[in-house]
Amino acid sequence: MNNDIDNLKKKILYRSTYRGTKEMDNLISSFVKSIINDLEDDNLKQLEKFLDIDDDNLLRFYNNIDNHINLEENEITKKFKNFKLNQN
C-alpha cells in the first residue's frame, strides 16, 4: 500500500514538472512540492485530477480570471488559490 502511495507521488511530481511551458512547470511543480508530503490519500487523488486541468485554465484560476471551465472546489484548489510562488 505504501508503495502505491509512493508511486502516485512520483507520478504527480513528474506530471507537475512537465506541463508544457517553463512558467507553468515552475508554478505547478513548486505548488505540488510544497504540499505533496502533507496530503492524505484522498487529497493525493484530488491533486492527480487537478493536474489534468489544462494550463490556461489553471493560470486563469490562479490569477482570478474567468475560466472556461468550472473548477471543483476542494482542498487542492483552495491550496492552489492561496499558493504564492516565491520568485526571487
Side-chain angles (χ1 to χ4, degrees):
M1 176 87 126
N2 197 19
N3 196 23
D4 291 340
I5 293 171
D6 289 341
N7 286 336
L8 179 57
K9 284 182 178 183
K10 287 177 187 176
K11 179 181 175 183
I12 289 169
L13 285 168
Y14 180 85
R15 288 181 61 207
S16 72
T17 303
Y18 299 100
R19 299 290 302 179
T21 64
K22 186 175 182 177
E23 293 80 11
M24 287 304 287
D25 291 352
N26 190 25
L27 174 63
I28 302 299
S29 67
S30 295
F31 168 67
V32 168
K33 288 174 184 174
S34 74
I35 66 167
I36 196 162
N37 289 321
D38 299 327
L39 300 178
E40 300 294 326
D41 293 357
D42 290 341
N43 287 350
L44 283 171
K45 291 176 184 172
Q46 287 177 355
L47 181 57
E48 182 181 32
K49 186 177 176 183
F50 174 81
L51 293 176
D52 288 337
I53 301 167
D54 66 274
D55 288 351
D56 184 51
N57 282 308
L58 286 178
L59 191 57
R60 287 174 167 273
F61 178 74
Y62 183 74
N63 290 317
N64 294 316
I65 301 172
D66 286 338
N67 281 320
H68 301 289
I69 62 171
N70 290 326
L71 293 176
E72 177 184 342
E73 187 170 324
N74 58 37
E75 197 64 32
I76 300 303
T77 55
K78 288 177 189 175
K79 287 179 183 293
F80 184 62
K81 192 67 161 172
N82 294 318
F83 177 73
K84 299 299 176 207
L85 183 61
N86 184 12
Q87 297 178 340
N88 294 328

